[in-house]
Every structure is written in structure tokens, then in C-alpha cells.
């Protein structure tokens, strides 16, 4: 029976995936406790802003008691005589229905009885004559009773009265409302002389969400123990000539109301989300237009009219997803339009299972795919997932469906973020271990002794002569030098012309010692030139191929660090790939010295198949580029100190690109030898410097 063995790499991958799953479960728990609708509100609000219902055609017009009306008629509340005149004028214009988005809970302050009490000095005949005048409340009630008027009521959060007044509700309900529907203990209604004669009655309540934005209207509610339609639903019911409303329950809550053949989805508490429409560019219709028979009053004919308040000191100012400041009558108007058009917003029963399955699928994708991606792969996948999920939610919204994209994305994002952090930590640990391994091998090579003279002859004979580099390319001033150490070999450099516009520079350092190191250097240099001449159009692919070629038949397990730069002499664009080599330096024409840190990968032949990264920069005229080997940075003083990067920076600042590039190479060599104070060099010293001239 064969046993199943797990490698350390597979164990680490399983551990990372397990922690990714833990991250998903933690985020799902957090959203379940503290998320809910709050996290999806901003997304659905944005969908409404991007795709409001069309402003036209309009079945509902709002007549505003606005600032102009207040200035002309007087402060609110107006005398009942004026309200009676306004309703009568509206009736003359033959509207389909009139809804008064306001309450009249107190008797008219300008009634005859109130007037004579206000002026007791009136003569007895004058008082008697005034008392013979009809009650303005009764007059207003007569006008309301003769016109198709729907009145509002407000539910009050108070304990029910023992003997509540009987309030007429014209709408009939086919079945009782579920207990989950919002209930108010008492009702605030207009005085009986007005309330009793209305054609219909509806709830005006419309509380905002915790963020002070009104997204819902009560479609139905229970007021003082009696099922009552919302104000907008009552307008839509009467306008549609429907007597009976059909509540439809789902589980223990309300799922929606059937208004004839129209399905109106609700939350379990009886609220309906309002699909707001785009604002019309037509001017507002003022109450003055109606009272004084101005031309805009023709807009009333055959329309459902809502009389609303917007004047200073009267308006119920609210916010909606489409407007930071608007008025309650707008919410009722948009809700009525949506009901009559049958264009509502609903969260279907299958939304939760669908979002759950989507979440599981995204988590599985993250767990399975992220460990396999490299470079910009995770970001590309994340962008694609976001586009698909949010695009799907947007497409569903245009069909009237509310599908939450935030919960699945956050849960999968927690998985991905957890795994990315762990993968980054693992990659960093592997890099540290690899660096330590390289350092150990270099120390071992430094301690080793062996034949070097033959290797040096091979090495120096293969390198371009320093004197010939000055004429390498008219667009580049080039210089390079190598100072061999007695005990370690393997440094090399090269300058390769790929075509008339592209040149390549490289510096390499072979680990090892003696003749073996020199021969391996010769092989590496020859392969580098061959691969770059053949595959130089794609530097990353060329380095990957070079890595595989050097690793092939490498029985001695030797490797080589290499920094390769590919310069386009027309544009100054320089592509860089660093295969475990010392980081290069850039000296700008202005004298600024920068230590570059290009990503790349491990030394060549260490990890066959490794996907090396390439970075690029654009060199300006006069900019110089400096590549050194570790024979400079790791040069040692008699006390054991290293020359290091800081001293290289000081040398380059002193040079600052004002002299020839050969001066820079010579200055580096000179300062290293001064630092060593005559002690034996521990490694080859190599420097390649070029300046971009055009």
C-alpha cells in the first residue's frame, strides 16, 4: 500500500487556502451581524441616479403652495375659504383626481365665530350678521365632497385609545394584513367636516432611512387597528377604478399588494421602494396659476393632481437618492406614477439564495486561482470579477430587480486579501532564504582556492576591448572595465547591437571558482548574446529562455547573476531585467544620483521556468546609467567593513556626469582600491557606464 507524501510547498499552499476560507467566513459573519441593507444602499442609490425612470410622459402633476403663493395669499395655513377656492378651481380644470398632501386637524382660524371672538368691540348687529355667515370648514367640506379628492392621514406612535373615533377607509382588503406590517396606535386626521367627505383616505407617513434619505413609502399600514392604504396607493387605486386590494403574504410577512393586474412588491412591513423618475424641466405649477386661471393651469386636465407644500415655513423638506433637497409631494407623485406604470423595484425571494451561491463561487475562484497567478494577474482577475458582479447588478436593476453585489464582493475580497497577504509573506520569506543561500554560496566560493590564470585568459579574451567601446554607437558614450581578483573569477560584461536602433548592455557574475567558473562564464556570455540577438524583441521572454538554456545540463549546479539593459536609441526607453544582480544606478543630466531597484528574479539557472519581470524607464539626453558587480559593493577594508552602496553614491555624486563615462569607471576603481588599503581583493571588480547622447 503506497503512502501519500506532501511536500512543504503543498502544505504551505493548503494552509494559505485554509486561512483564505477563514477570512471569507469572518467577513460573512460580520456582514450578517452588521451589514444588511445598509451596505447595498449606496449601490442601489447609484443605480437610481444612473437610470431614473423617464420624466415624461407624466400622469401626475404637483400644484405647489410655494413661496409666490405664500407672498400673495398669506402665511400657511390658509383660510379654508382659500383652500375651497383652490380645490374648486382645480375641479373646473377637470383633473382625474385631486390628492391633498396635508392635514386639516383644527377648525378654521378665520371662521365667523372665531372672528367675532377676536373682535368683541363689534356692534351687536354686525356680530349677528357675521354669525349668519356659513362655516368655512363646512364650505370647504362641501367642495371636497363634490370633487374627486383624496385626503391624507398620519399614523401616530401612541397607545391606542379606548374609544377611538371611527375613521372611514374606502379601500377594501381581500385578506387581513400580516402582523409584520407597520402599525400605529392612533391616527391624526382632518376635522370630521372635511375628513368624512373625502373620496379616499391614505397614510402620509414616510419615514427616512437612518441616513436621512427617503427611499420607501408605506404601501399599507395598520392605523388604530384598521388596515389602511398609503396615500400614493390610494391615489393609484381610485385612478385605476379598483375597489379591492389583495395583500399577498410570504412566510410570516407581507410580500406585496395586487392592485388589479399590477403587482406591487413590498418589504415585510408594508413599505415599497420608490423608483424615482428624472426631474422634468417644465416649470413648477404654482397654486397661484390655478387661483388666478393662468395658462399653466391647463396642465391639470385629466391628470392626477397632488397639492403639496414647498413655501418657506411650510415644506416637508426631504432627501432622496436623486436629490439632496426635495419635498414629500415628489415622493408621492413618483410612487403613484410607478404603480400606474407597473415599473416597481423588488428584491425577489430567490435573491438571498442567488447571492449566497454567487458568494460561494467567488470564494472558490479566489481560493483555487490566486496561488497560481503572478504579477498583475490578481489585480486583473479582481477587476474582472468586480465588473461582472456590479455589471450584473446594474443589468438586474434596469429590469426592476435589486440584487446586492456588495456582500458577495466583500466576502470574496476578504478571501483574496487574506491569501494575498499570506502569499506575499511567503514570497518574502522565500526571497530571504534565497538571498541567504546565494550569500552562503558566494562565501563558499570566496574561501575556495583553485586555478585561475587559464580562466582569466578565457574571460578577458571574450570581452569587448575597452578602447573600442567609445565608438560602439553614436547615440551612446560607453565605457566598461574589469579588475580581476586573484582567487575568484566569473565577472563579465558585453555590449550587443540588436539592430540599428536598439543596443543591449549586460553585466554578469558567475558563482564558483577557477577554470570551472571561467568556462561557465564563457557559456553564459555566449548564450546571452545568442538568445538576445534572437529573442530581443521581448526582453522578459529572452531572459526566461536564457535562464532555461543555462540551466540545461548544468550538472555542477552553477548559476550566474546578470543585469540586462535594452536601450532604444531613438526614444531613450531603457528596459531592465535584474536576475539576482546588484541594483544599477542612474545619474541624471542635472547631477541627481538614483539607486534603481528593478524587479526581476533570482540568478539564472537557480529556478528553471521562472517568469522574470521587466521594468522600463525613459532616459533623457545626458542621463548616465551605471552597472557594477558585487566586487565593488562587497569590497572589504582591512577592518572587515564593506564598501557598500553609500560610497558608490558618493563617488557618482562627485562625478555627477560632468566628465566622460570613463572617468566614472576609473573613479569607482580608484575609490575601491583606496578603501581596501592595499589588502587583497576578494572578488572581481566590474563597472559598465553609458551615457545617452540624443
Amino acid at each position: 500500500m503506497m503512502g501519500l507524501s506532501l511536500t512543504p510547498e503543498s502544505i504551505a499552499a493548503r494552509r494559505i487556502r485554509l486561512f483564505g476560507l477563514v477570512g471569507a467566513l469572518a467577513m460573512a459573519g460580520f456582514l450578517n451581524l452588521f451589514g444588511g441593507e445598509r451596505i447595498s444602499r449606496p449601490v442601489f442609490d447609484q443605480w437610481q441616479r444612473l437610470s431614473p425612470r423617464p420624466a415624461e410622459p407624466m400622469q401626475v402633476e404637483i400644484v405647489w403652495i410655494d413661496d409666490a403663493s405664500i407672498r400673495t395669499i398669506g402665511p400657511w395655513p390658509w383660510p379654508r375659504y382659500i383652500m375651497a377656492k383652490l380645490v374648486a378651481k382645480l375641479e373646473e380644470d377637470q383633473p382625474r383626481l385631486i390628492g391633498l398632501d396635508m392635514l386639516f386637524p383644527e377648525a378654521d382660524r378665520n371662521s365667523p365665530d372665531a372672528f367675532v371672538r377676536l373682535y368683541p368691540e363689534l356692534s351687536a348687529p354686525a356680530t349677528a350678521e357675521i354669525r349668519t355667515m356659513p362655516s368655512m370648514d363646512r364650505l370647504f367640506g362641501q367642495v371636497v365632497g363634490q370633487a374627486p379628492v383624496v385626503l391624507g392621514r398620519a399614523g401616530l406612535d401612541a397607545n391606542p385609545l379606548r374609544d377611538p373615533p371611527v375613521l372611514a377607509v374606502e379601500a377594501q382588503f381581500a385578506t387581513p394584513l400580516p402582523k409584520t406590517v407597520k402599525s400605529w396606535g392612533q391616527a391624526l386626521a382632518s376635522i370630521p367636516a372635511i375628513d368624512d367627505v373625502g373620496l379616499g383616505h391614505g397614510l402620509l407617513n414616510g419615514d427616512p432611512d437612518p441616513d436621512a434619505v427617503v427611499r420607501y413609502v408605506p404601501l399599507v399600514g395598520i392605523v388604530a387597528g384598521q388596515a389602511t392604504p398609503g396615500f400614493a396607493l390610494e391615489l393609484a387605486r381610485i385612478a385605476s377604478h379598483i375597489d379591492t386590494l389583495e395583500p399577498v403574504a410570504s412566510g410570516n410577512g407581507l410580500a406585496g399588494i395586487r392592485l388589479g393586474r399590477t403587482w406591487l412588491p413590498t418589504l415585510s412591513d408594508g413599505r415599497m421602494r420608490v423608483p424615482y423618475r428624472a426631474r422634468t424641466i417644465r416649470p413648477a405649477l404654482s397654486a397661484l396659476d390655478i387661483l388666478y386661471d393662468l395658462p399653466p393651469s391647463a396642465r391639470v386636465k385629466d391628470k392626477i393632481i397632488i397639492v403639496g407644500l414647498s413655501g418657506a415655513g411650510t415644506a416637508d423638506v426631504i432627501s432622496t437618492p436623486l436629490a439632496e433637497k426635495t419635498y414629500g409631494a415628489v415622493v408621492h407623485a413618483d410612487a403613484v406614477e410607478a404603480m400606474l406604470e407597473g415599473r416597481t423595484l423588488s428584491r425577489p425571494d430567490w435573491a438571498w439564495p442567488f447571492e449566497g451561491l454567487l458568494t460561494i463561487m467567488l470564494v472558490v475562484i479566489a481560493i483555487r486561482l490566486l496561488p497560481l497567478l503572478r504579477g498583475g494577474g490578481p489585480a486583473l482577475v479582481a477587476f474582472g470579477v468586480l465588473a461582472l458582479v456590479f455589471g450584473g447588478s446594474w443589468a438586474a436593476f434596469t429590469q426592476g430587480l435589486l440584487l446586492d453585489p456588495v456582500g458577495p464582493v466583500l466576502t470574496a475580497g476578504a478571501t483574496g486579501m487574506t491569501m494575498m497577504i499570506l502569499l506575499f509573506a511567503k514570497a518574502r520569506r522565500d526571497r530571504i532564504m534565497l538571498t541567504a543561500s546565494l550569500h552562503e554560496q558566494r562565501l563558499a566560493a570566496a574561501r575556495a582556492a583553485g586555478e585561475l590564470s587559464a580562466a582569466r585568459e578565457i574571460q578577458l579574451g571574450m570581452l569587448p576591448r575597452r578602447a573600442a567601446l567609445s565608438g560602439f554607437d553614436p547615440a551612446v558614450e560607453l565605457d566598461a572595465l574589469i579588475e580581476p581578483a586573484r582567487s575568484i573569477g566569473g565577472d563579465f560584461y558585453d555590449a550587443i547591437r540588436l539592430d540599428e536602433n536598439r543596443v543591449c548592455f549586460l553585466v554578469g557574475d558567475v558563482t564558483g571558482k577557477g577554470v570551472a567558473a571561467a568556462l561557465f562564464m564563457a557559456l553564459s556570455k555566449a548564450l546571452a548574446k545568442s538568445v538576445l540577438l534572437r529573442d530581443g524583441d521581448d526582453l522578459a521572454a529572452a531572459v526566461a529562455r536564457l535562464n532555461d538554456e543555462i540551466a540545461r545540463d548544468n550538472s555542477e549546479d552553477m548559476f550566474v547573476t546578470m543585469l540586462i539593459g535594452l536601450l532604444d536609441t531613438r526614444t531613450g526607453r531603457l528596459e531592465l531585467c535584474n536576475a539576482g544582480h546588484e541594483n544599477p544606478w542612474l545619474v541624471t543630466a542635472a547631477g541627481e544620483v538614483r539607486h534603481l531597484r528593478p524587479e526581476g528574479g533570482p540568478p539564472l539557472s537557480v529556478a528553471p521556468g521562472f517568469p522574470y519581470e521587466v521594468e522600463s524607464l525613459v532616459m533623457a539626453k545626458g542621463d548616465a546609467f551605471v552597472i557594477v558587480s558585487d566586487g565593488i559593493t562587497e569590497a572589504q577594508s582591512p577592518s572587515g567593513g564593506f564598501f557598500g552602496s553609500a560610497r558608490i553614491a558618493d563617488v557618482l555624486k562627485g562625478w555627477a556626469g560632468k566628465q566622460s563615462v570613463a572617468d566614472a569607471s576609473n573613479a569607482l576603481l580608484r575609490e575601491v582600491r583606496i578603501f581596501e588599503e592595499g589588502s587583497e581583493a576578494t572578488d572581481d571588480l566590474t563597472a559598465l557606464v553609458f551615457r545617452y547622447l540624443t
Side-chain angles (χ1 to χ4, degrees):
M1 182 176 180
M2 297 181 62
L4 182 63
S5 61
L6 296 177
T7 65
E9 188 69 22
S10 64
I11 293 174
R14 290 190 177 189
R15 185 179 294 115
I16 290 173
R17 290 188 170 101
L18 177 61
F19 275 102
L21 180 59
V22 171
L25 294 175
M27 178 58 73
F30 174 82
L31 294 177
N32 186 54
L33 292 175
F34 305 105
E37 184 190 0
R38 288 177 295 178
I39 64 171
S40 57
R41 283 175 189 158
V43 175
F44 294 146
D45 289 350
Q46 183 62 30
W47 293 165
Q48 285 218 340
R49 287 188 283 269
L50 292 175
S51 182
R53 289 176 34 248
E56 304 289 346
M58 295 174 57
Q59 301 186 60
V60 180
E61 281 279 3
I62 302 176
V63 174
W64 293 107
I65 298 177
D66 53 8
D67 289 333
S69 304
I70 296 295
R71 287 194 300 269
T72 303
I73 305 300
W76 183 261
W78 283 350
R80 299 293 152 77
Y81 173 79
I82 299 296
M83 290 303 302
K85 183 178 179 181
L86 176 61
V87 173
K89 286 285 188 179
L90 284 170
E91 171 63 12
E92 291 176 5
D93 291 329
Q94 299 178 334
R96 189 174 173 187
L97 199 60
I98 302 172
L100 300 181
D101 183 17
M102 59 198 66
L103 295 171
F104 305 96
E106 299 176 350
D108 184 17
R109 298 176 184 177
N110 297 293
S111 65
D113 287 340
F115 188 82
V116 297
R117 286 195 301 271
L118 183 62
Y119 298 100
E121 64 272 13
L122 290 171
S123 65
T127 299
E129 184 177 357
I130 292 174
R131 289 186 184 279
T132 63
M133 296 177 65
S135 165
M136 292 300 103
D137 287 327
R138 191 162 51 250
L139 175 63
F140 184 35
Q142 291 174 357
V143 174
V144 168
Q146 294 170 0
V149 175
V150 174
L151 298 171
R153 289 177 183 156
L156 300 178
D157 290 320
N159 293 327
L161 299 174
R162 290 186 177 181
D163 188 17
V166 177
L167 299 175
V169 176
E170 292 72 22
Q172 301 175 24
F173 288 84
T175 59
L177 295 176
K179 294 181 179 180
T180 57
V181 171
K182 173 70 174 177
S183 177
W184 292 270
Q186 298 180 27
L188 180 64
S190 299
I191 60 175
I194 301 171
D195 191 73
D196 291 347
V197 296
L199 180 62
H201 298 82
L203 280 171
L204 294 175
N205 299 67
D207 296 333
D209 288 326
D211 58 356
V213 176
V214 176
R215 299 179 177 87
Y216 299 90
V217 294
L219 206 59
V220 291
I222 300 174
V223 182
Q226 189 169 5
T228 305
F231 185 68
L233 178 58
E234 185 69 349
L235 288 171
R237 180 190 71 81
I238 297 175
S240 302
H241 307 290
I242 295 173
D243 295 327
T244 303
L245 300 173
E246 183 182 347
V248 178
S250 176
N252 296 324
L254 185 67
I257 299 290
R258 291 196 183 277
L259 178 66
R261 295 183 179 180
T262 302
W263 170 246
L264 305 176
T266 68
L267 301 181
S268 62
D269 61 3
R271 292 181 298 157
M272 182 191 82
R273 182 154 188 147
V274 181
Y276 289 98
R277 67 181 179 182
R279 297 275 65 86
T280 178
I281 61 174
R282 294 194 296 174
L285 186 57
S286 172
L288 288 180
D289 301 333
I290 306 300
L291 289 170
Y292 293 101
D293 296 319
L294 297 178
S297 64
R299 287 159 51 181
V300 172
K301 184 177 176 61
D302 296 327
K303 296 291 183 66
I304 298 172
I305 305 302
I306 296 178
V307 181
L309 300 168
S310 66
T314 68
D316 54 340
V317 180
I318 61 169
S319 296
T320 70
L322 267 63
E324 290 187 6
K325 178 183 177 182
T326 187
Y327 306 101
V330 172
V331 179
H332 294 305
D334 285 4
V336 173
E337 294 268 12
M339 294 178 199
L340 295 179
E341 294 174 5
R343 296 184 60 178
T344 58
L345 295 173
S346 67
R347 186 158 171 79
D349 293 337
W350 49 265
W352 285 108
F354 173 80
E355 291 163 4
L357 289 175
L358 178 62
T359 300
I360 293 173
M361 183 180 69
L362 294 180
V363 169
V364 170
I365 290 175
I367 289 176
R368 299 297 301 174
L369 195 59
L370 279 180
L372 306 178
L373 298 176
R374 296 290 184 272
L380 185 62
V381 170
F383 179 80
V385 168
L386 287 174
L388 287 174
V389 175
F390 278 87
S393 174
W394 158 253
F397 182 87
T398 60
Q399 302 302 313
L401 301 177
L402 300 175
L403 300 180
D404 177 22
V406 181
V409 166
L410 286 180
T411 304
T415 301
M417 187 60 65
T418 302
M419 295 182 65
M420 290 301 296
I421 292 173
L422 294 176
L423 287 170
F424 176 80
K426 179 179 179 298
R428 184 177 179 84
R429 184 173 62 251
D430 291 346
R431 183 182 291 271
I432 292 173
M433 294 176 63
L434 180 59
T435 302
S437 175
L438 292 175
H439 188 64
E440 290 177 1
Q441 293 187 38
R442 287 176 178 173
L443 290 177
R447 288 190 297 266
E451 297 274 339
L452 189 61
S453 57
R456 284 298 165 220
E457 291 295 328
I458 297 173
Q459 178 190 33
L460 297 177
M462 294 184 62
L463 301 180
R465 295 183 180 276
R466 187 179 185 187
L469 293 178
S470 59
F472 176 72
D473 190 281
V476 176
E477 180 185 2
L478 174 64
D479 182 70
L481 64 81
I482 281 186
E483 279 287 320
R486 291 194 301 171
S487 58
I488 299 177
D491 277 16
F492 63 95
Y493 65 83
D494 205 349
I496 307 167
R497 180 181 298 282
L498 301 184
D499 54 44
E500 62 180 4
N501 296 315
R502 293 183 306 148
V503 293
C504 183
F505 310 99
L506 61 89
V507 172
D509 182 6
V510 175
T511 62
K513 57 184 180 179
V515 175
L519 293 176
F520 196 76
M521 179 278 280
L523 172 65
S524 300
K525 180 181 178 301
L527 286 174
K529 187 169 185 177
S530 174
V531 170
L532 288 169
L533 286 172
R534 183 178 56 197
D535 300 323
D537 290 337
D538 186 343
L539 183 57
V543 176
R545 180 184 294 275
L546 177 60
N547 179 43
D548 294 339
E549 291 291 339
I550 294 176
R552 183 179 293 116
D553 298 328
N554 184 8
S555 59
E556 297 297 325
D557 293 329
M558 300 181 72
F559 57 88
V560 55
T561 69
M562 194 178 299
L563 194 144
I564 304 173
L566 179 60
L567 177 67
D568 188 325
T569 58
R570 294 169 300 177
T571 64
R573 185 172 183 269
L574 178 64
E575 295 183 3
L576 299 173
C577 184
N578 188 351
H581 200 76
E582 295 291 317
N583 288 322
W585 299 77
L586 178 67
V587 182
T588 67
E592 179 187 0
V593 177
R594 292 163 50 193
H595 197 188
L596 306 180
R597 304 182 186 280
E599 293 291 337
L604 301 177
S605 185
V606 168
F610 187 86
Y612 285 85
E613 297 182 14
V614 172
E615 296 183 12
S616 64
L617 58 88
V618 176
M619 298 185 68
K621 181 179 180 180
D623 286 355
F625 197 81
V626 181
I627 309 173
V628 300
S629 68
D630 59 2
I632 294 179
T633 56
E634 295 179 4
Q636 289 183 286
S637 67
S639 61
F642 292 98
F643 189 82
S645 298
R647 289 185 174 85
I648 295 178
D650 291 338
V651 173
L652 295 179
K653 288 177 183 177
W655 173 64
K658 296 181 177 60
Q659 299 86 29
S660 68
V661 293
D663 288 342
S665 305
N666 294 332
L668 286 169
L669 173 61
R670 181 176 62 254
E671 292 301 323
V672 168
R673 295 305 182 229
I674 293 173
F675 177 78
E676 292 172 337
E677 298 180 6
S679 60
E680 182 178 344
T682 59
D683 199 355
D684 295 348
L685 184 153
T686 304
L688 184 147
V689 185
F690 68 87
R691 176 185 286 130
Y692 182 60
L693 300 178
T694 60

